[in-house]
């Protein structure tokens, strides 16, 4: 089961990504940066899961 803090951070990143895409366009640096942060969070979580 996912850590509640991870779920909250993921939800926050998704909200930021959606808002940036709405405000600046889906290909904007702001939206792409938020998408990259979300990707990085999931990659780090997968690496942590493998270490457990």
């Amino acid at each position: 089961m996912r850590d509640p803090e991870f779920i909250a951070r993921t939800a926050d990143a998704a909200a930021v990504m959606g808002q940036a895409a709405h405000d600046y366009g889906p290909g904007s640096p702001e939206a792409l940066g938020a998408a990259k942060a979300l990707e990085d969070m999931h990659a780090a979580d997968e690496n942590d899961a493998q270490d457990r």
Side-chain angles (χ1 to χ4, degrees):
M1 184 152 191
R2 297 270 188 204
D3 174 33
E5 183 180 333
F6 177 79
I7 294 169
R9 288 190 324 240
T10 299
D12 288 346
V16 168
M17 183 175 55
Q19 189 63 50
H22 178 267
D23 291 349
Y24 304 108
S28 69
E30 294 84 359
L32 295 176
K36 177 69 173 134
L38 187 57
E39 260 183 4
D40 292 346
M41 286 171 33
H42 279 274
D45 186 62
E46 288 174 13
N47 288 339
D48 288 346
Q50 290 175 358
D51 291 341
R52 289 183 219 150

